Amino acid sequence: MRLDSVHLLLTLRCDRECDHCFVWSSPNVICTMSISMIRKVIDQAAELDSLRMIYFEGGEPFLFYPILVEGVKYARSKGFEVGIVTNGYWGTSGEDAELWLRELERLSISDMSVSDDRIHRERDDDHRARIAAQAASAAGMRTSVLETCEPKGMKKGDIFFRGRAAEELARKYRTHLWSGLTECPEELRSPERVHIDPDGNVHVCQGIVIGNINRSSLVEISASYMPSEHPILGPLMDGGPAQLARRYRIAHLKKYADACDLCYHVRKKLRPRFKKILGPDVMYGVSEA
């Protein structure tokens, strides 16, 4: 495994509780990364010659702004490019957005991705994400707008039906026979990115853990990555979620919205058997409380 980027799930807390969220973020989730954990991740990332980019995402990373800024500073001090993913809730006015970004602008953020679509907006006249994106662009950041399609016309937009999306939205979309869902949309043979949650779990796909940085370094996890021998990744590579269901003889519906939808529901049923691999609980909608 030769990683190009590491994505830190700085927090799973969010100011919103979107139906399409695949990490079950909400205002009630308390799972947040400490600055010491952020430094540990970045220190380990610095040992990987191939790695160039650190992303901060969530949840909503701006909810923990001082930790976000300090984490960005540390990543930049180690020579990494930095990206941030946000819903732009802080774009209450152009002047406000400029103030939020002033310190990050000094740190030369490479990429700012802002979610702006009707699913994220609380009202049709809610333009905070647009204001945030405009401010980021004006600050010289490479800015992209992430748009998620609503279930109009029963066509799938760019939603991955994992997590809450699989539970709340999948049945509103056109479905497909489970037997035809034979490919995983993630690059499993040689992934170029991983996500790391606040507990140090390393996810090749959110909810599929390949190690923990508190027990093994990123260098060790990368060097020992053998997906064909992994009890979940192996079947997914052989024949997608359909093969995962066959391998473990998991009862399922006839149709699903997409491969992620089938995979998520099969993994939920496999969790008692593979609890350390299929976790943590919050990724499967199990409350921390």
Coordinates of all heavy atoms in Angstrom, one line a residue, residues 33-78:
M33 N -11.1 14.0 18.0 CA -9.7 13.7 18.1 C -9.0 14.7 18.9 O -9.2 15.9 18.7 CB -9.1 13.6 16.6 CG -7.7 13.1 16.5 SD -7.2 12.9 14.8 CE -8.1 11.4 14.3
S34 N -8.1 14.3 19.8 CA -7.3 15.2 20.6 C -6.1 15.7 19.7 O -5.7 15.1 18.7 CB -6.7 14.5 21.8 OG -5.8 13.5 21.5
I35 N -5.5 16.8 20.2 CA -4.3 17.3 19.5 C -3.2 16.4 19.5 O -2.4 16.3 18.6 CB -4.0 18.8 20.0 CG1 -2.9 19.4 19.1 CG2 -3.5 18.7 21.4 CD1 -3.3 19.6 17.6
S36 N -3.0 15.7 20.6 CA -1.9 14.7 20.8 C -2.1 13.6 19.7 O -1.1 13.1 19.2 CB -1.8 14.1 22.2 OG -3.0 13.4 22.5
M37 N -3.4 13.1 19.5 CA -3.6 12.1 18.5 C -3.3 12.6 17.1 O -2.8 11.9 16.3 CB -5.1 11.6 18.6 CG -5.4 10.6 17.6 SD -4.5 9.0 17.7 CE -5.4 8.2 19.0
I38 N -3.7 13.9 16.9 CA -3.4 14.5 15.6 C -1.9 14.5 15.3 O -1.5 14.1 14.2 CB -4.0 15.9 15.5 CG1 -5.5 15.9 15.5 CG2 -3.5 16.6 14.2 CD1 -6.2 17.2 15.6
R39 N -1.2 14.9 16.3 CA 0.3 14.9 16.1 C 0.9 13.5 15.9 O 1.8 13.3 15.1 CB 1.0 15.6 17.4 CG 0.7 17.1 17.5 CD 1.4 17.6 18.7 NE 1.0 19.0 18.9 CZ 0.6 19.6 20.0 NH1 0.4 18.8 21.1 NH2 0.4 20.9 20.1
K40 N 0.3 12.5 16.6 CA 0.8 11.2 16.4 C 0.5 10.7 15.0 O 1.4 10.1 14.3 CB 0.1 10.2 17.4 CG 0.5 8.8 17.3 CD -0.3 7.9 18.2 CE 0.2 8.0 19.6 NZ -0.4 6.9 20.5
V41 N -0.7 11.0 14.5 CA -1.0 10.6 13.1 C 0.0 11.3 12.1 O 0.5 10.6 11.2 CB -2.4 11.0 12.7 CG1 -2.7 10.7 11.2 CG2 -3.4 10.2 13.6
I42 N 0.2 12.6 12.3 CA 1.0 13.3 11.3 C 2.5 12.9 11.4 O 3.2 12.7 10.4 CB 0.9 14.8 11.6 CG1 -0.6 15.2 11.2 CG2 1.9 15.6 10.8 CD1 -0.9 16.7 11.6
D43 N 2.9 12.6 12.7 CA 4.3 12.1 12.8 C 4.5 10.7 12.1 O 5.5 10.5 11.4 CB 4.6 11.9 14.3 CG 4.9 13.2 15.0 OD1 5.2 14.2 14.3 OD2 4.9 13.3 16.3
Q44 N 3.5 9.9 12.2 CA 3.6 8.6 11.5 C 3.5 8.8 10.0 O 4.1 8.1 9.3 CB 2.5 7.6 12.1 CG 2.7 7.2 13.5 CD 1.8 6.1 13.9 OE1 1.2 5.4 13.1 NE2 1.7 5.9 15.3
A45 N 2.6 9.7 9.6 CA 2.5 9.9 8.2 C 3.8 10.4 7.6 O 4.1 10.1 6.4 CB 1.3 11.0 7.9
A46 N 4.5 11.2 8.3 CA 5.8 11.8 7.9 C 6.8 10.7 7.6 O 7.8 11.0 6.9 CB 6.3 12.8 8.9
E47 N 6.6 9.5 8.1 CA 7.5 8.4 7.9 C 7.3 7.7 6.5 O 8.0 6.8 6.1 CB 7.5 7.4 9.0 CG 7.9 8.0 10.4 CD 7.7 7.0 11.5 OE1 7.3 5.9 11.2 OE2 8.0 7.4 12.7
L48 N 6.2 8.0 5.9 CA 5.8 7.5 4.6 C 6.3 8.4 3.5 O 5.8 9.5 3.3 CB 4.3 7.2 4.5 CG 3.7 6.2 5.5 CD1 2.2 6.3 5.5 CD2 4.1 4.8 5.0
D49 N 7.2 7.9 2.7 CA 7.8 8.7 1.6 C 6.8 9.2 0.6 O 6.9 10.2 0.0 CB 8.9 8.0 0.9 CG 10.1 7.7 1.8 OD1 10.2 8.5 2.8 OD2 10.9 6.8 1.6
S50 N 5.8 8.3 0.4 CA 4.8 8.6 -0.7 C 3.7 9.6 -0.3 O 3.1 10.2 -1.2 CB 4.1 7.3 -1.1 OG 3.4 6.8 0.0
L51 N 3.6 9.9 1.0 CA 2.4 10.7 1.4 C 2.7 12.2 1.3 O 3.7 12.7 1.8 CB 2.1 10.3 2.9 CG 0.6 10.5 3.3 CD1 0.2 9.4 4.2 CD2 0.5 11.8 3.9
R52 N 1.7 12.9 0.7 CA 1.9 14.3 0.5 C 0.8 15.2 1.1 O 1.0 16.4 1.2 CB 2.0 14.6 -1.0 CG 0.8 14.3 -1.8 CD 0.8 14.7 -3.2 NE -0.5 14.6 -3.9 CZ -1.4 15.5 -3.9 NH1 -1.2 16.7 -3.3 NH2 -2.6 15.3 -4.5
M53 N -0.4 14.6 1.4 CA -1.5 15.4 1.7 C -2.2 14.9 3.0 O -2.4 13.7 3.2 CB -2.6 15.3 0.6 CG -3.7 16.3 0.6 SD -3.3 17.8 -0.2 CE -4.7 18.8 0.0
I54 N -2.6 15.8 3.9 CA -3.4 15.6 5.1 C -4.7 16.3 4.9 O -4.7 17.5 4.7 CB -2.7 16.0 6.3 CG1 -1.3 15.4 6.5 CG2 -3.6 15.8 7.6 CD1 -1.3 13.9 6.9
Y55 N -5.8 15.6 5.1 CA -7.1 16.2 5.0 C -7.7 16.2 6.4 O -7.6 15.2 7.2 CB -8.1 15.4 4.1 CG -7.9 15.8 2.6 CD1 -7.1 15.1 1.8 CD2 -8.6 16.9 2.1 CE1 -6.9 15.5 0.5 CE2 -8.5 17.2 0.8 CZ -7.7 16.5 0.0 OH -7.5 16.9 -1.4
F56 N -8.4 17.2 6.8 CA -9.2 17.3 8.0 C -10.6 17.3 7.7 O -11.1 18.2 6.9 CB -8.8 18.6 8.8 CG -7.4 18.6 9.4 CD1 -6.3 19.0 8.6 CD2 -7.2 18.2 10.7 CE1 -5.0 19.0 9.1 CE2 -5.9 18.1 11.2 CZ -4.8 18.5 10.4
E57 N -11.4 16.4 8.2 CA -12.8 16.3 7.9 C -13.5 15.8 9.1 O -13.0 15.7 10.2 CB -13.1 15.5 6.6 CG -12.4 14.1 6.6 CD -12.5 13.5 5.2 OE1 -11.7 13.9 4.3 OE2 -13.3 12.6 5.0
G58 N -14.8 15.4 8.9 CA -15.6 15.0 10.0 C -16.7 14.0 9.6 O -16.5 13.2 8.7
G59 N -17.9 14.3 10.2 CA -18.3 15.5 11.0 C -18.0 16.8 10.4 O -17.7 17.0 9.3
E60 N -18.0 17.8 11.3 CA -17.7 19.2 10.9 C -16.5 19.7 11.7 O -16.6 20.0 12.9 CB -18.9 20.1 11.2 CG -18.7 21.5 10.9 CD -18.0 21.8 9.6 OE1 -18.6 21.4 8.5 OE2 -16.9 22.4 9.6
P61 N -15.3 19.7 11.0 CA -14.1 20.0 11.7 C -14.0 21.5 12.3 O -13.3 21.7 13.3 CB -13.0 19.8 10.7 CG -13.7 19.9 9.4 CD -15.1 19.4 9.6
F62 N -14.8 22.4 11.7 CA -14.7 23.8 12.2 C -15.4 23.9 13.6 O -15.2 24.9 14.2 CB -15.4 24.7 11.2 CG -14.5 25.2 10.1 CD1 -14.2 24.4 9.0 CD2 -13.9 26.5 10.2 CE1 -13.3 24.9 8.0 CE2 -13.0 26.9 9.2 CZ -12.7 26.1 8.1
L63 N -16.1 22.9 14.0 CA -16.7 22.9 15.4 C -15.6 22.9 16.4 O -15.9 23.4 17.6 CB -17.7 21.7 15.6 CG -19.0 21.8 14.8 CD1 -19.7 20.5 15.0 CD2 -19.8 23.0 15.2
F64 N -14.4 22.4 16.1 CA -13.3 22.4 17.0 C -12.2 23.2 16.4 O -11.1 22.7 16.2 CB -12.9 21.0 17.3 CG -14.0 20.2 18.0 CD1 -15.0 19.6 17.3 CD2 -14.1 20.2 19.4 CE1 -16.0 18.9 18.0 CE2 -15.1 19.5 20.1 CZ -16.1 18.9 19.3
Y65 N -12.5 24.5 16.2 CA -11.6 25.4 15.4 C -10.2 25.5 16.0 O -9.2 25.4 15.2 CB -12.2 26.8 15.3 CG -11.5 27.7 14.4 CD1 -11.6 27.5 13.0 CD2 -10.7 28.7 14.9 CE1 -10.9 28.3 12.1 CE2 -10.0 29.5 14.0 CZ -10.1 29.4 12.7 OH -9.4 30.2 11.8
P66 N -10.0 25.7 17.3 CA -8.6 25.8 17.8 C -7.8 24.5 17.5 O -6.6 24.6 17.2 CB -8.8 26.0 19.3 CG -10.1 26.6 19.4 CD -11.0 25.9 18.4
I67 N -8.4 23.3 17.7 CA -7.8 22.1 17.4 C -7.5 21.9 15.9 O -6.4 21.5 15.5 CB -8.6 20.9 17.9 CG1 -8.9 21.0 19.4 CG2 -7.9 19.6 17.7 CD1 -7.7 21.1 20.3
L68 N -8.4 22.3 15.1 CA -8.2 22.3 13.6 C -7.0 23.1 13.2 O -6.1 22.7 12.5 CB -9.5 22.8 12.9 CG -9.4 23.0 11.4 CD1 -9.1 21.7 10.7 CD2 -10.7 23.7 10.9
V69 N -7.0 24.4 13.7 CA -5.9 25.3 13.4 C -4.5 24.7 13.8 O -3.5 24.7 13.1 CB -6.1 26.7 13.9 CG1 -4.8 27.6 13.7 CG2 -7.3 27.3 13.3
E70 N -4.5 24.2 15.0 CA -3.2 23.7 15.6 C -2.8 22.4 14.8 O -1.6 22.2 14.5 CB -3.4 23.3 17.0 CG -2.1 23.0 17.7 CD -1.0 24.1 17.7 OE1 -1.5 25.3 17.7 OE2 0.2 23.8 17.7
G71 N -3.8 21.6 14.4 CA -3.5 20.4 13.6 C -3.0 20.8 12.2 O -2.0 20.2 11.7
V72 N -3.6 21.8 11.6 CA -3.1 22.3 10.3 C -1.7 22.9 10.4 O -0.8 22.6 9.6 CB -4.1 23.4 9.7 CG1 -3.5 24.0 8.5 CG2 -5.4 22.8 9.4
K73 N -1.4 23.6 11.5 CA -0.1 24.2 11.7 C 1.0 23.0 11.7 O 2.0 23.1 11.1 CB 0.0 25.0 13.0 CG -0.6 26.3 12.9 CD -0.4 27.0 14.3 CE -1.1 28.4 14.3 NZ -1.0 29.0 15.6
Y74 N 0.6 22.0 12.5 CA 1.6 20.9 12.7 C 1.8 20.2 11.4 O 2.9 19.8 11.0 CB 1.1 19.9 13.7 CG 2.1 19.0 14.3 CD1 3.2 19.5 15.1 CD2 2.1 17.7 13.9 CE1 4.2 18.7 15.5 CE2 3.1 16.8 14.4 CZ 4.2 17.3 15.2 OH 5.1 16.5 15.6
A75 N 0.7 19.9 10.6 CA 0.8 19.3 9.3 C 1.7 20.1 8.4 O 2.6 19.5 7.6 CB -0.5 19.0 8.7
R76 N 1.5 21.4 8.3 CA 2.3 22.3 7.5 C 3.8 22.3 7.9 O 4.7 22.3 7.1 CB 1.7 23.7 7.5 CG 0.3 23.8 6.9 CD 0.3 23.5 5.4 NE 1.0 24.6 4.6 CZ 1.9 24.3 3.6 NH1 2.2 23.1 3.3 NH2 2.5 25.4 3.0
S77 N 4.0 22.2 9.2 CA 5.4 22.2 9.7 C 6.1 21.0 9.3 O 7.4 21.0 9.2 CB 5.4 22.4 11.2 OG 5.0 21.1 11.9
K78 N 5.4 19.9 9.0 CA 6.0 18.7 8.5 C 6.1 18.6 7.0 O 6.5 17.5 6.5 CB 5.2 17.5 9.1 CG 5.2 17.3 10.6 CD 6.6 17.0 11.1 CE 6.6 16.7 12.6 NZ 7.9 16.3 13.1

